[in-house]
Amino acid sequence: MRRLINRRPGRGGAFGLGLLPFILVISAYLYYSHQRLEANPGDKLLPAPASIGAAIHRYALEEDERTGDYLLWTDTRASLERLGMGLAISAAIGLGLGLAIGVVPYLRASAAPFVAAVSLVPPLAVLPILFIAVGLGELAKVTLIVVGVAPVIVRDLAMRTAELPTEQIIKAQTLGASTWQLVLRVVLPQSWPRLIDALRLSLGSAWLFLIAAEAIASTEGLGFRIFLVRRYLAMDVILPYVAWITLLALAMDRLLRLVRAKAFAWAEPGV
Amino acid sequence: MRRLINRRPGRGGAFGLGLLPFILVISAYLYYSHQRLEANPGDKLLPAPASIGAAIHRYALEEDERTGDYLLWTDTRASLERLGMGLAISAAIGLGLGLAIGVVPYLRASAAPFVAAVSLVPPLAVLPILFIAVGLGELAKVTLIVVGVAPVIVRDLAMRTAELPTEQIIKAQTLGASTWQLVLRVVLPQSWPRLIDALRLSLGSAWLFLIAAEAIASTEGLGFRIFLVRRYLAMDVILPYVAWITLLALAMDRLLRLVRAKAFAWAEPGV
Amino acid sequence: MTQVTVKHMWKEYGGHVVLENVNLHVGDHEFVTIVGASGCGKTTFLRMLLGIEAPSRGEFLIDGRPLPGEPGPDRGIVFQRYSLFPHLTVLQNLLLGLELKDAPLTGRLFGAARRRALDKARTLLAAIGLEAAANKHPAQLSGGMQQRLSIAQSVIREPKILLLDEPFGALDPGITADMHELIIKLWNAHKMTIFMVTHDLKESFALGTRLLVFDKVRIDPQAPEAFGATITYNIPLKGQRSAS
Amino acid sequence: MTQVTVKHMWKEYGGHVVLENVNLHVGDHEFVTIVGASGCGKTTFLRMLLGIEAPSRGEFLIDGRPLPGEPGPDRGIVFQRYSLFPHLTVLQNLLLGLELKDAPLTGRLFGAARRRALDKARTLLAAIGLEAAANKHPAQLSGGMQQRLSIAQSVIREPKILLLDEPFGALDPGITADMHELIIKLWNAHKMTIFMVTHDLKESFALGTRLLVFDKVRIDPQAPEAFGATITYNIPLKGQRSAS
Amino acid sequence: EKTSFNMAWTIYVGWMPWGYAEQSGILAKWAARYGIKIKLTQVNDYVESINQYTAGTFDACLMTNMDMLTIPSAGGVDSTALIVGDFSNGNDGIVLKGKGKTLKDIRGQKVNLVELSVSHYMLARALGTVGLRERDLKIVNTSDADIVAAFAASASTAAVAWKPQLSAILKNPDAQLVYDSSKIPGEILDLMVVNTATLKANPKLGKALVGAWYEIMALMAKNDAAAKAATASMAKASGTDPAGYAGQLATTHLFATPAEDYAFVNGDALVNTMDLVRKFSFEHGILGQGAASVDAVGIQFPSGRTLGDPRNVKMRFDGSFAKMAMDGAL
Ligand SMILES: Nc1ncnc2c1ncn2[C@@H]1O[C@H](COP(=O)(O)OP(=O)(O)OP(=O)(O)O)[C@@H](O)[C@H]1O
Ligand SMILES: Nc1ncnc2c1ncn2[C@@H]1O[C@H](COP(=O)(O)OP(=O)(O)OP(=O)(O)O)[C@@H](O)[C@H]1O
Ligand SMILES: [Mg+2]
Ligand SMILES: [Mg+2]
């Protein structure tokens, strides 16, 4: 018998093992759902697969009578636009401010404590001020994502920029680099893969803030729909929406990983 | 003129620079607050410092008539207990599962994809199921924190455990280590500082989930109080509560950093 | 008594033949030094001895029995780097092997057992001249000190076979002389069989009782990966055995 | 024409005196090798020449003028490790110095200027025997290749002074001979002044035109940090200048 | 036999007496009289409290008549409105920005409100009075926790809310109340809802709850020092001062005696109200996806009349316990 640590499943085995917990969770769901529906056929908490299927059909494949839209797709588009915009702005802020803080000691002294404090302010508690500052429209939702995500990215990039070996920074200066050239040719190019890592780590909270923002005031979006139908406990809609959000988040995560591996092969650990 | 990158502020200068953005934000607040109060003396959005002071006095230094408590302190205690418990449980799960996933290939194949998916499920969207499962008591609040935070810690620790140099793992085996001994003497001790890092990174979202949980079901706590007075737009109470939460979070962050530096000096980058 | 036997052993990765038809017999208490061009499979050979890589074909025997498929306390290893435990002090790094042996459950020793283990570790620590650094962590040691500790660590459980993969490659030249002395001392004290890969031919002659040269005998310029290396020279040396 | 002059220079960290009363004059196109015990302040001395550390007392002059307080293109440096840019290919690593010189705003060259720079970089690349690896990233190179590239990188802007801090300490012994040849070739081609710290006395004699030995002249056993090291020997050597 | 019961409550003007009932020991006293225990859980998120009741976590819960129909009853949980505590009599309102505006001006505006809630219902009713329809404006679903701040934002121009948020909104110098629930008295009801099966099996629960409720109603009606102390405590618990709470009470029509409650549930007005509510709910798709018609869910009244499918009665109004209280039979 070899040690547990030295035993590895084959490819097929690994795939099956990976599927196992999902199958278990789905089975548990089916069991409890069946039990509850036996007791009360109208139960809404754990709807039967058929009800969920019907709900998916209604939301993804049928036009909504009131608006003429396919709700799932309008919701998805609205949410992804907000999320994309929020992440893009956060990335821009994170890169700009994070690099500046990491590179320029005066800026670091001035901005680092403030960013550390801001990153710990619970954004949902100061919403009223946010509304006054940016209104209630799309901007508010994007801003909430940015407020929630950007400080974390700034801190991460500042830390990782400061971690660049001093030898590199000195070497660049002996090659005649000005501060600007140093940022442009040495620091920035090495920050891209780190930015991708930071974005991947922030995906979860970005979705969280998106959903929170859509729950506050909106007329479409995945988070909006979930909160709307929660008013009548329509778990048959909520559950597929949650699964869909998770799938989208996973896909974005994989995509970012792929981009990193392809575009910044030099930064992959294995090279 | 030396390059920007080579110029460093002195100690006093750095302190002053660090204070600067805080002073700017406070000044901006005072300016806008004054403007709004000129226009409408009843404005509650940006209350005057005096109103905030009065609210702090009421909540921190006067007994509540109804309960005989000092509200700020009862709220703080309740929230910190929940947060502490949530973080402790998350840390325990993160350490146990993360290590196991990082060390045992069979477990990794089985659990890693599931944990990756679960860490991206937005917990706020599946609240009803969560509450059915664990009830609405203290457990619910702690559970929400755990559900939000633990998967991230598990992933982080699993990744960092897998990053341990293979040479170490092989060396330990040539010293006769069983899988259990390997975990106990090689992997676990090296995970503590990493766990502290992971906890520090999760602090922000832990507070977020705490506040969300308290807004849904509780009778005391910092998040509950903010929720309660938000309906009256009582920013004179909300703002000091938010500042207090930020301060607590910062203190916890510093404390964790200190513990890491003192207890795990061998893992500090500078050594 | 340790005998290592390799019979008609091949190692391939996919279509890439790394080693072909390797045959070898090594007797007890030999000091085998291995040289060869970069990439010719020296490390791969050690990895197979260690049990973390399996031969594609052929047999790999220790004392007539097939090699276990995983590392164990009968075969010690010294890597070029990274094999110390950063969270343990110098003394604890040495102690670890003894603790793992006698405390299967807790991995720690107490009372008299601990004192006995400490004595043994301290003796070895003195032998490598690191007593003064007993309570430091690896990161606080110089490269040479780290490698001395690493060697001591890998002999404390008295393995039958000790594997060294370019153990002095990362060290300052001035320090290697001390290291040679240390390794010979330990080899004689513990009577084990040593396999050491090195890039330095002088070193291999100075230390070894047997020199193995790995090289390709057949080369296809169109397909450099079609043929692997094998042992082209197997030279018995006088070595330092007499010094014992 | 480069003259380096040091007058009554002291360096202290808090109460810890590292260097005391150092005096030195080095003329044009010298190859200065520096040896001394570990921790005696050799690296500190190079850091001051580089401008990232200031002397506590005394003067440090280049061509009669005080040393600038920060690194610049007139003084190149080769560290033991880490000084290549991992995101740039071998060729881009070489090109960088030229691009930074001629493109202050974009840090990149285009058209004819780029072609000229490429020619220069390729010539140097050929000189260090890395043409075949031109498009690889540093992580894909062996230690010796990395260090060759690092040396070439630091001379491409033709610094007046080149600083080397144990540049071969992390390399396999076999490779250092090639490196010696390379560094002498570049030194002769670019006519710069070299300061090289080494642990290897043989190396220091073989390469230098002047050998500096750093050592403490006064020692207080109660307070080892009370006195610093200084230049105890300053020996002119024949060196390899004749080879030029 | 079940002797311990769980009940959820939410902070809201008409439900604060429940908090007081627990705090003052009145509820425990009545429960003890019938040999049972009643555990009150404060749930801050109103919808979550109903969801939990529907899922079976609670035996009793407080909610409006419309939410009762669309959540537990449409979810197949047979429920009984044990007590009709009050109806909104100006507690819900429609607010526009701009002094002097009237309801008609709402046309074409974006209206912030909690979609599918009683606010939405009242808006639909209000629009009907001026010949407008929902498609003449745009509804922006806004959480009740954030609606005050949302209205304060310069871009927003209209909101529908209930108190206390409504009061906070009206503090805005620009805010104009253009419609409120006093125009539709008796349509927005705040109910004490109990699981029908549980109530049938345990009439003691009903008796204890009703007894405690009307004891507090009587106490509050006296207007003496004890009453003042009680309302002051409720005010504090809801995060405001006695004046603020009095302002909320003024627009809430509490049924002070069981007789009023009894009369109300036996009246015709309630049937008409529920007919309006179920039609609204059906049109907005919140009677559940199984609801093929407006009649899917049956609603039964003490008078014996039913609305909708009589074989699928899931929502019941009950006067029998009020009658007992009236007769002093508790
Ligand atoms: N896991 C693997 N998968 C595929 N090929 C491998 C693997 N491990 C080693 N190789 C290949 O096997 C060959 C031999 O590698 P090995 O590391 O044994 O060489 P070496 O003799 O130790 O070289 P060096 O002197 O550079 O350390 C190399 O061509 C290498 O690319
Ligand atoms: N920033 C600093 N602060 C305090 N002390 C320092 C600092 N830098 C170096 N020292 C001290 O100065 C002394 C000289 O260090 P230096 O690195 O110059 O030695 P060295 O001669 O290069 O040694 P080695 O051969 O080990 O590289 C050491 O005792 C070191 O601890
Ligand atoms: Mg090798
Ligand atoms: Mg040095």
Side-chain angles (χ1 to χ4, degrees):
Chain A
M1 268 309 264
R2 296 163 79 193
R3 293 183 187 87
L4 211 50
I5 182 177
N6 293 323
R7 269 178 279 158
R8 282 159 207 287
R11 265 198 98 137
F15 184 76
L17 281 171
L19 232 50
L20 195 67
F22 291 98
I23 294 173
L24 282 180
V25 166
I26 293 176
S27 306
Y29 178 86
L30 291 178
Y31 172 76
Y32 285 112
S33 162
H34 185 75
Q35 281 228 319
R36 287 188 72 96
L37 286 168
E38 289 249 290
N40 166 18
D43 180 66
K44 292 169 118 177
L45 187 77
L46 302 180
S51 324
I52 294 181
I56 295 176
H57 194 271
R58 246 180 311 129
Y59 277 82
L61 305 174
E62 288 175 18
E63 279 186 19
D64 182 55
E65 286 163 31
R66 265 203 314 159
T67 57
D69 292 332
Y70 296 89
L71 289 180
L72 181 62
W73 307 122
T74 12
D75 288 342
T76 304
R77 186 154 28 93
S79 287
L80 286 184
E81 272 174 21
R82 289 164 190 155
L83 195 74
M85 192 114 79
L87 284 176
I89 296 177
S90 301
I93 294 178
L95 203 61
L97 200 55
L99 249 61
I101 289 180
V103 166
V104 181
Y106 266 88
L107 242 164
R108 176 156 58 240
S110 164
F114 187 66
V115 172
V118 167
S119 74
L120 291 170
V121 171
L124 294 180
V126 288
L127 279 180
I129 294 181
L130 195 75
F131 290 157
I132 302 307
V134 300
L136 266 178
E138 287 303 290
L139 190 56
K141 286 144 218 158
V142 173
T143 306
L144 187 60
I145 298 176
V146 172
V147 168
V149 168
V152 181
I153 299 188
V154 170
R155 276 184 89 179
D156 197 54
L157 279 185
M159 218 169 70
R160 293 180 162 275
T161 302
E163 271 172 12
L164 278 182
T166 347
E167 286 88 347
Q168 272 189 37
I169 309 292
I170 294 172
K171 180 65 153 289
Q173 294 186 56
T174 66
L175 297 177
S178 64
T179 298
W180 165 248
Q181 286 178 320
L182 187 86
V183 168
L184 201 65
R185 294 297 317 270
V186 176
V187 182
L188 182 63
Q190 295 192 59
S191 298
W192 291 115
R194 286 157 186 190
L195 177 65
I196 293 183
D197 291 342
L199 278 177
R200 283 183 60 202
L201 278 178
S202 316
L203 265 189
S205 46
W207 273 100
L208 203 81
F209 285 112
L210 173 73
I211 290 172
E214 289 182 340
I216 289 161
S218 64
T219 56
E220 60 191 359
L222 298 167
F224 160 79
R225 196 70 52 196
I226 287 177
F227 274 85
L228 183 65
V229 303
R230 197 168 76 100
R231 269 213 80 88
Y232 51 104
L233 199 62
M235 296 304 290
D236 55 341
V237 179
I238 293 180
L239 290 179
Y241 262 72
V242 168
W244 177 234
I245 288 175
T246 306
L247 212 71
L248 287 175
L250 262 178
M252 290 171 70
D253 185 69
R254 290 293 137 105
L255 191 74
L256 284 172
R257 207 158 78 182
L258 201 75
V259 168
R260 190 193 198 282
K262 291 282 165 213
F264 308 104
W266 56 266
E268 291 297 298
V271 176
Chain B
M1 267 313 260
R2 296 162 80 193
R3 293 182 187 86
L4 212 49
I5 182 178
N6 292 324
R7 267 178 280 157
R8 283 160 207 286
R11 267 197 97 138
F15 183 76
L17 281 170
L19 231 51
L20 196 67
F22 292 96
I23 294 173
L24 283 180
V25 165
I26 293 176
S27 306
Y29 178 86
L30 292 178
Y31 172 76
Y32 285 110
S33 163
H34 185 74
Q35 282 227 320
R36 287 186 73 96
L37 286 169
E38 288 248 291
N40 169 16
D43 182 66
K44 295 174 105 178
L45 189 79
L46 304 178
S51 327
I52 295 181
I56 295 177
H57 194 271
R58 244 181 308 133
Y59 279 81
L61 304 174
E62 289 174 18
E63 275 186 24
D64 184 54
E65 288 157 33
R66 209 163 62 98
T67 56
D69 293 331
Y70 296 89
L71 288 180
L72 181 62
W73 309 120
T74 15
D75 287 343
T76 304
R77 184 152 32 90
S79 287
L80 286 184
E81 272 175 23
R82 289 164 191 152
L83 196 74
M85 192 115 78
L87 285 176
I89 296 176
S90 302
I93 296 178
L95 203 61
L97 199 57
L99 249 62
I101 290 180
V103 166
V104 181
Y106 267 86
L107 241 164
R108 177 157 56 241
S110 164
F114 187 66
V115 172
V118 167
S119 74
L120 290 171
V121 171
L124 294 181
V126 287
L127 281 181
I129 294 183
L130 196 74
F131 287 137
I132 301 301
V134 298
L136 274 164
E138 283 304 290
L139 188 58
K141 289 141 222 165
V142 174
T143 307
L144 187 60
I145 297 176
V146 172
V147 168
V149 169
V152 180
I153 299 188
V154 170
R155 276 184 90 182
D156 197 53
L157 278 186
M159 218 170 71
R160 294 181 161 273
T161 302
E163 270 171 12
L164 278 181
T166 349
E167 286 89 348
Q168 272 189 37
I169 310 293
I170 293 171
K171 179 66 154 289
Q173 294 185 59
T174 64
L175 297 178
S178 64
T179 298
W180 164 247
Q181 286 179 320
L182 188 86
V183 168
L184 202 65
R185 294 298 316 269
V186 176
V187 182
L188 182 64
Q190 295 192 59
S191 298
W192 291 116
R194 285 154 187 194
L195 178 66
I196 292 183
D197 291 342
L199 278 177
R200 283 184 60 202
L201 278 178
S202 314
L203 266 189
S205 45
W207 273 100
L208 202 82
F209 286 113
L210 174 72
I211 291 172
E214 288 185 339
I216 286 163
S218 72
T219 56
E220 58 191 1
L222 298 167
F224 165 73
R225 197 69 52 195
I226 288 177
F227 158 83
L228 186 67
V229 303
R230 196 148 71 134
R231 297 185 294 178
Y232 306 94
L233 201 64
M235 297 303 289
D236 54 341
V237 178
I238 294 180
L239 289 178
Y241 262 74
V242 167
W244 177 236
I245 289 175
T246 307
L247 212 69
L248 288 174
L250 262 177
M252 291 170 72
D253 185 70
R254 290 294 138 103
L255 191 74
L256 286 172
R257 207 159 77 184
L258 201 74
V259 168
R260 189 192 199 282
K262 292 284 165 212
F264 308 104
W266 57 267
E268 291 298 297
V271 177
Chain C
M1 288 300 300
T2 312
Q3 310 278 337
V4 176
T5 310
V6 184
K7 286 188 196 156
H8 304 296
M9 190 272 291
W10 297 63
K11 179 66 189 174
E12 300 167 18
Y13 290 110
H16 176 187
V17 181
V18 175
L19 293 171
E20 60 175 54
N21 198 25
V22 175
N23 290 285
L24 179 67
H25 180 82
V26 174
D28 194 36
H29 194 212
E30 287 229 46
F31 194 131
V32 183
T33 54
I34 303 175
V35 298
S38 186
C40 73
K42 305 179 297 295
T43 296
T44 304
F45 185 74
L46 285 200
R47 288 166 65 84
M48 284 189 286
L49 267 168
L50 199 52
I52 54 180
E53 204 78 68
S56 308
R57 268 178 284 166
E59 280 184 300
F60 223 127
L61 307 171
I62 294 187
D63 293 337
R65 267 171 309 172
L67 203 70
E70 59 178 357
D74 55 337
R75 284 152 297 143
I77 174 90
V78 177
F79 295 104
Q80 223 175 341
R81 324 214 149 85
Y82 293 129
S83 58
L84 290 171
F85 300 106
H87 59 295
L88 300 178
T89 62
V90 167
L91 187 61
Q92 289 168 338
N93 259 290
L94 272 187
L95 215 51
L96 185 64
L98 302 174
E99 292 181 304
L100 293 174
K101 183 176 166 204
D102 294 330
L105 211 66
T106 60
R108 288 172 194 280
L109 294 175
F110 303 93
R114 181 176 168 79
R115 273 195 299 278
R116 269 197 307 278
L118 266 175
D119 278 351
K120 187 163 177 186
R122 287 234 174 79
T123 312
L124 198 53
L125 206 56
I128 59 170
L130 283 184
E131 298 125 308
N135 294 316
K136 289 193 171 171
H137 281 99
Q140 297 168 288
L141 304 183
S142 76
M145 290 158 95
Q146 290 191 26
Q147 205 59 327
R148 263 183 280 168
L149 177 58
S150 189
I151 292 170
Q153 187 181 47
S154 57
V155 299
I156 202 162
R157 289 216 45 188
E158 303 179 0
K160 297 195 289 184
I161 300 175
L162 181 62
L163 309 169
L164 303 159
D165 195 357
E166 303 187 36
F168 314 130
L171 297 185
D172 263 345
I175 301 174
T176 35
D178 298 355
M179 305 297 284
H180 289 173
E181 213 173 297
L182 171 67
I183 194 80
I184 290 295
K185 193 163 76 179
L186 292 171
W187 173 59
N188 281 320
H190 296 289
K191 302 262 175 278
M192 56 209 163
T193 301
I194 289 186
F195 288 82
M196 174 169 119
V197 170
T198 172
H199 264 129
D200 187 345
L201 211 67
K202 224 172 71 198
E203 186 176 81
S204 69
F205 276 99
L207 296 179
T209 61
R210 178 180 297 277
L211 170 65
L212 303 181
V213 181
F214 277 64
D215 206 354
K216 293 193 181 193
V217 282
R218 303 179 291 175
I219 293 177
D220 178 347
Q222 260 68 53
E225 306 201 333
F227 300 113
T230 188
I231 297 174
T232 51
Y233 294 95
N234 180 340
I235 312 167
L237 301 170
K238 188 154 174 282
Q240 310 251 340
R241 194 189 306 248
S242 51
S244 65
Chain D
M1 288 301 298
T2 312
Q3 311 279 335
V4 176
T5 310
V6 184
K7 286 188 197 157
H8 304 296
M9 191 271 290
W10 298 63
K11 179 67 190 175
E12 301 166 20
Y13 289 108
H16 177 187
V17 181
V18 176
L19 292 172
E20 59 175 54
N21 198 24
V22 176
N23 290 286
L24 179 69
H25 180 82
V26 174
D28 195 35
H29 194 213
E30 287 229 45
F31 194 130
V32 182
T33 53
I34 302 174
V35 297
S38 187
C40 73
K42 306 180 296 293
T43 296
T44 305
F45 185 74
L46 286 199
R47 288 167 65 84
M48 284 190 284
L49 267 169
L50 200 52
I52 53 180
E53 203 77 70
S56 308
R57 267 178 285 164
E59 280 184 299
F60 224 128
L61 307 172
I62 295 186
D63 292 339
R65 267 172 307 171
L67 204 69
E70 59 178 357
D74 54 337
R75 284 152 295 144
I77 174 91
V78 177
F79 294 104
Q80 226 177 337
R81 319 216 152 86
Y82 292 130
S83 60
L84 290 170
F85 300 105
H87 60 293
L88 300 178
T89 63
V90 168
L91 187 62
Q92 289 169 338
N93 260 289
L94 272 187
L95 216 50
L96 185 65
L98 303 173
E99 291 181 305
L100 294 175
K101 183 174 162 204
D102 294 332
L105 212 66
T106 61
R108 288 171 194 282
L109 294 175
F110 304 95
R114 181 177 167 78
R115 273 193 300 278
R116 268 197 307 277
L118 268 175
D119 279 351
K120 187 163 178 187
R122 288 233 174 78
T123 312
L124 198 53
L125 207 56
I128 59 171
L130 283 184
E131 297 124 310
N135 295 317
K136 288 195 172 170
H137 281 99
Q140 298 168 289
L141 304 184
S142 76
M145 292 159 94
Q146 290 191 24
Q147 206 59 328
R148 264 183 279 167
L149 176 58
S150 190
I151 292 170
Q153 187 181 48
S154 57
V155 300
I156 201 162
R157 287 216 44 189
E158 305 181 355
K160 296 195 290 185
I161 300 175
L162 181 61
L163 309 169
L164 304 159
D165 195 356
E166 303 185 36
F168 314 129
L171 297 185
D172 264 345
I175 301 174
T176 36
D178 299 356
M179 304 296 284
H180 288 173
E181 213 174 295
L182 170 68
I183 194 80
I184 290 294
K185 195 163 78 177
L186 291 172
W187 174 58
N188 281 322
H190 296 289
K191 300 265 175 275
M192 58 211 160
T193 301
I194 290 187
F195 287 82
M196 175 167 120
V197 171
T198 173
H199 264 128
D200 187 345
L201 211 68
K202 225 173 72 198
E203 186 176 81
S204 68
F205 275 100
L207 295 179
T209 62
R210 178 182 297 277
L211 169 66
L212 303 181
V213 181
F214 277 64
D215 206 355
K216 294 193 182 190
V217 281
R218 303 178 290 174
I219 293 178
D220 177 347
Q222 260 69 50
E225 305 201 335
F227 300 112
T230 189
I231 298 175
T232 51
Y233 294 94
N234 180 338
I235 311 166
L237 302 169
K238 189 154 175 281
Q240 311 249 342
R241 195 190 307 246
S242 50
S244 67
Chain E
E1 195 192 351
K2 197 169 154 118
T3 58
S4 167
F5 300 89
N6 290 312
M7 167 181 162
W9 77 287
T10 313
I11 293 178
Y12 177 69
V13 47
W15 296 329
M16 294 318 291
W18 285 110
Y20 182 73
E22 188 190 37
Q23 190 204 342
S24 62
I26 292 175
L27 183 63
K29 183 185 79 187
W30 279 89
R33 174 182 293 192
Y34 292 101
I36 60 173
K37 283 209 170 65
I38 300 174
K39 182 168 174 285
L40 230 62
T41 302
Q42 179 185 328
V43 181
N44 300 322
D45 187 309
Y46 166 66
V47 172
E48 196 54 42
S49 76
I50 308 174
N51 283 347
Q52 293 297 316
Y53 163 80
T54 306
T57 314
F58 296 109
D59 303 301
C61 186
L62 302 165
M63 64 192 84
T64 68
N65 51 335
M66 186 172 107
D67 293 318
M68 178 183 178
L69 173 65
T70 58
I71 306 178
S73 297
V77 176
D78 192 341
S79 299
T80 299
L82 181 67
I83 303 168
V84 179
D86 67 82
F87 61 77
S88 170
N89 194 20
N91 226 13
D92 299 72
I94 302 173
V95 186
L96 296 186
K97 240 179 217 164
K99 280 292 175 203
K101 288 263 168 74
T102 65
L103 181 56
K104 272 198 156 84
D105 297 319
I106 204 170
R107 176 180 209 128
Q109 299 206 17
K110 280 187 179 169
V111 186
N112 292 99
L113 55 77
V114 182
E115 217 173 328
L116 308 180
S117 72
V118 288
S119 292
H120 197 169
Y121 169 78
M122 183 181 70
L123 177 67
R125 293 277 284 127
L127 292 177
T129 64
V130 290
L132 292 174
R133 285 181 305 172
E134 265 188 59
R135 63 181 53 172
D136 296 327
L137 41 83
K138 185 148 180 79
I139 289 171
V140 180
N141 186 31
T142 307
S143 90
D144 55 336
D146 300 301
I147 199 156
V148 184
F151 189 75
S154 53
S156 53
T157 55
V160 188
W162 53 77
K163 287 185 180 178
Q165 286 92 328
L166 178 64
S167 315
I169 287 174
L170 288 173
K171 289 227 171 79
N172 189 319
D174 239 8
Q176 173 69 52
L177 183 71
V178 296
Y179 190 89
D180 68 37
S181 56
S182 65
K183 310 253 172 54
I184 50 167
E187 289 193 26
I188 299 176
L189 310 173
D190 297 317
L191 311 173
M192 155 97 264
V193 176
V194 186
N195 185 297
T196 303
T198 308
L199 185 63
K200 279 223 175 84
N202 306 279
K204 290 172 180 173
L205 172 64
K207 290 178 187 171
L209 288 172
V210 171
W213 176 255
Y214 286 110
E215 179 174 337
I216 293 170
M217 287 300 104
L219 179 99
M220 285 172 71
K222 278 211 195 90
N223 215 358
D224 56 6
K228 286 225 168 64
T231 45
S233 166
M234 295 178 205
K236 189 83 194 172
S238 60
T240 183
D241 49 19
Y245 188 62
Q248 298 175 32
L249 271 181
T251 48
T252 306
H253 183 94
L254 278 168
F255 291 113
T257 63
E260 289 177 46
D261 185 351
Y262 185 77
F264 182 81
V265 294
N266 281 288
D268 287 338
L270 179 60
V271 182
N272 293 334
T273 296
M274 285 318 296
D275 198 30
L276 285 170
V277 168
R278 73 191 187 116
K279 280 181 180 140
F280 172 87
S281 302
F282 179 71
E283 280 160 14
H284 288 82
I286 53 177
L287 272 190
Q289 57 164 297
S293 81
V294 67
D295 290 325
V297 178
I299 308 172
Q300 190 178 61
F301 300 88
S303 53
R305 290 178 59 182
T306 50
L307 287 172
D309 185 352
R311 282 157 308 163
N312 187 33
V313 171
K314 296 289 181 200
M315 180 173 183
R316 301 164 200 273
F317 285 89
D318 180 286
S320 59
F321 288 88
K323 183 92 171 67
M324 284 184 236
M326 261 165 80
D327 302 342
L330 290 176

